[in-house]
Amino acid sequence: KQEVTQIPAALSVPEGENLVLNCSFTDSAIYNLQWFRQDPGKGLTSLLLIQSSQREQTSGRLNASLDKSSGRSTLYIAASQPGDSATYLCAAPQGGGSEKLVFGKGTKLTVNP
Amino acid sequence: DTAVSQTPKYLVTQMGNDKSIKCEQNLGHDTMYWYKQDSKKFLKIMFSYNNKELIINETVPNRFSPKSPDKAHLNLHINSLELGDSAVYFCASSFTGGDGYTFGSGTRLTVV
């Protein structure tokens, strides 16, 4: 059974800092891993999708890495801005070919001006 | 706009009522899902349909009944609503084996 853990649960940083959010998963037989952003009272916005054949994906100031062998993914945010404040969710498939996506509990990020 | 759209966005209802939430996607995806986000913000899958066929049915009370009239639509009907059903319900869709999920903006259900 897939379990996804995100550390830290909350993070507060001053504007301009580079930061790393961590995600670990127990079943490494995954075909991809997805990072989402959720603003308060809003839906989920997909940030990055990393296929199992890839080691990282980049979009603007965001870079996500995937290490299946160690069961870890990281989301790197460069030069953080107050607009980056949100909850970041990591999600991995259940495994065994299942389409079920298992979510971590998220990291709540606050970027202070 | 290509998207996953849910209606209604907000739903306030009394205990014991029956209500439905609708979801539509125009992304051409073959799989659709219902997720529940509880008060602690934890997201958990409820159901999944692939080409109108139920493929995932988690441990959900049978007061919850999904229906997929076609692969672009997945509705959720809830009978005899209880206080504990209050949550945000998200619809999502994807291609099998594929390119990640796209989520709708959620339906905030409040049972009073």
Side-chain angles (χ1 to χ4, degrees):
Chain A
K1 179 185 172 185
Q2 182 72 278
E3 292 180 8
V4 178
T5 304
Q6 290 187 247
I7 295 172
L11 182 63
S12 181
V13 300
E15 183 176 2
E17 273 206 5
N18 302 325
L19 57 101
V20 175
L21 308 182
N22 296 293
C23 171
S24 61
F25 47 93
T26 54
D27 186 342
S28 60
I30 58 173
Y31 51 85
N32 60 33
L33 183 139
Q34 200 166 359
W35 282 92
F36 294 88
R37 167 184 174 143
Q38 186 174 27
D39 292 281
K42 304 287 186 184
L44 278 73
T45 301
S46 179
L47 296 173
L48 288 163
L49 172 74
I50 314 174
Q51 301 290 353
S52 60
S53 57
Q54 300 171 318
R55 292 192 67 83
E56 61 179 61
Q57 275 281 12
T58 298
S59 175
R61 295 181 294 106
L62 305 180
N63 177 280
S65 68
L66 175 63
D67 184 344
K68 284 180 57 177
S69 61
S70 66
R72 291 184 191 173
S73 177
T74 61
L75 179 67
Y76 174 82
I77 303 177
S80 58
Q81 302 171 358
D84 295 330
S85 298
T87 296
Y88 291 80
L89 295 159
C90 170
Q94 172 70 43
S98 170
E99 297 297 327
K100 171 181 164 181
L101 206 58
V102 179
F103 281 83
K105 294 187 177 179
T107 293
K108 184 175 180 181
L109 173 66
T110 303
V111 181
N112 300 301
Chain B
D1 285 346
T2 55
V4 178
S5 55
Q6 299 179 225
T7 54
K9 192 171 173 63
Y10 299 97
L11 187 52
V12 181
T13 187
Q14 290 188 326
M15 275 174 46
N17 283 351
D18 303 338
K19 290 293 177 185
S20 292
I21 307 171
K22 296 187 175 182
C23 179
E24 175 182 4
Q25 55 94 6
N26 61 5
L27 299 163
H29 288 162
D30 58 3
T31 307
M32 296 185 73
Y33 312 83
W34 280 111
Y35 275 76
K36 179 180 180 180
Q37 189 172 44
D38 60 26
S39 56
K40 295 182 180 178
K41 309 298 183 189
F42 188 52
L43 270 160
K44 195 170 178 188
I45 193 167
M46 300 172 70
F47 302 104
S48 173
Y49 272 75
N50 178 267
N51 284 319
K52 302 194 298 177
E53 182 182 343
L54 181 66
I55 56 171
I56 296 174
N57 184 351
E58 293 291 291
T59 309
V60 176
N62 58 15
R63 298 182 295 102
F64 290 78
S65 52
K67 280 193 171 55
S68 181
D70 56 59
K71 72 173 190 177
H73 295 84
L74 180 61
N75 303 323
L76 183 65
H77 187 76
I78 315 169
N79 288 326
S80 303
L81 278 154
E82 300 177 358
L83 293 176
D85 297 331
S86 296
V88 182
Y89 293 84
F90 286 100
C91 178
S93 68
S94 72
F95 285 114
T96 304
D99 290 332
Y101 279 35
T102 301
F103 276 80
S105 57
T107 295
R108 183 174 294 275
L109 171 65
T110 303
V111 182
V112 297

